[in-house]
Amino acid sequence: MKVGVCVPTRPRCPELRHLNCPPTLHDLAPGYRVARWDHPRALSARSRDRLHITLRDLAERAFGADHSGYWHTRVQSGFFDRITTLALILGPDDTPVGWGGYHRLRLASRRSLYLDAAGVVPAHRRFGLSTALMTHFLTREVLAHPLSNTYVVLRTRHPAVYAGWRRGLGTRRVFPDRHRALPSLVRRLAGEAAEWLGDGPRLHPDTLVVRDAYRMFDGDIYGIRPRSGDTGIDDYFDDTVGPKDAVLVVARTNVHALARVAAARRLRARLRHRTANGTRPAPDHTEDVRTATPTGAGASGLLSTPRT
């Protein structure tokens, strides 16, 4: 698809009407769709302004804190020209209830994705929407190169995000790991990602903690202190990650790992369906508290977090 050419699919919601570049629409989860822009740089100035307002308002609702300055700075710095793919999660009435995106990169000579800021508003959590959106992204990218690994990089100070990646992909595929040294390839990937983010000097090469990663925030990042429900991981974040710090997470995935994630999602969906009539379902903490943390270039959570 050429830059500037978009599939003319227009959602019903007012926020997405009259954009010069309408998104492509795909089913995401029962009752929800994803509106995806694969060439956000094709959006006109007026369309960018409309989406900027939508993203700013969603972030305030999702994080329980004012992030208007953060989004203003990002948009002024070329957000729509830099991001590879941008998406909104649409609810049953096609109203935006969440967002996400990613940057396609080449790090340490490996195919890599940097996950941008993402979130879901409180009323639409517990439906696995962040999981579904990130799986949607990864499926597109991984299946485009099924014979090789795809490396995912993100920054977060949310212990549930880190725990969710480890639970979803397996502890051997996600770094940092408190119990083993970093492989040389992971060090190279993290180092190049930190340079791309402008965090090179602040990255600790052994722990992958980025000091003062959230320096652009004057106030709170979260309205509520995030927890994962895993005592060991929560204690690790308490002891290691300062108030403005982040962990640079590196995860390795491929078609086999993605198939396991998809199978786990189908199982959870069947369990929710079985308990929908008259029986209280087991809690799903996929969207618990906050599933992602905005940073200088963004970050995102993936996969369900440990049950508490």
Side-chain angles (χ1 to χ4, degrees), residues 258-276:
L258 210 57
R260 288 195 295 272
V261 171
R265 288 190 64 232
R266 287 194 296 269
L267 177 60
R268 289 194 297 272
R270 286 198 296 270
L271 291 174
R272 286 196 295 267
H273 178 73
R274 290 174 182 174
T275 56

Side-chain angles (χ1 to χ4, degrees), residues 56-68:
R56 180 199 66 195
D57 293 347
L58 283 171
E60 181 175 354
R61 293 164 60 195
F63 293 100
D66 181 7
H67 289 171
S68 58

Side-chain angles (χ1 to χ4, degrees), residues 108 181-190:
L182 292 175
S184 58
L185 176 59
V186 171
R187 287 177 179 271
R188 289 173 55 203
L189 284 160

Side-chain angles (χ1 to χ4, degrees), residues 102-115 137-138 141-142 145 147-154 165 169 172-175 183-190 192-193 249-255 257 302:
Y102 63 88
H103 302 255
R104 189 183 298 124
L105 303 173
R106 195 77 178 172
L107 300 173
S109 300
R110 300 299 196 280
R111 179 178 173 81
S112 306
L113 303 178
Y114 183 84
L115 294 184
F137 289 157
L138 287 185
E141 295 294 328
V142 170
H145 297 270
L147 301 181
S148 60
N149 289 319
T150 296
Y151 290 87
V152 181
V153 183
L154 59 132
W165 278 92
L169 292 181
R172 304 294 294 181
R173 291 177 174 271
V174 180
F175 299 91
S184 58
L185 176 59
V186 171
R187 287 177 179 271
R188 289 173 55 203
L189 284 160
E192 291 187 18
V249 179
V250 179
R252 183 182 76 255
T253 188
N254 53 33
V255 291
L302 173 71

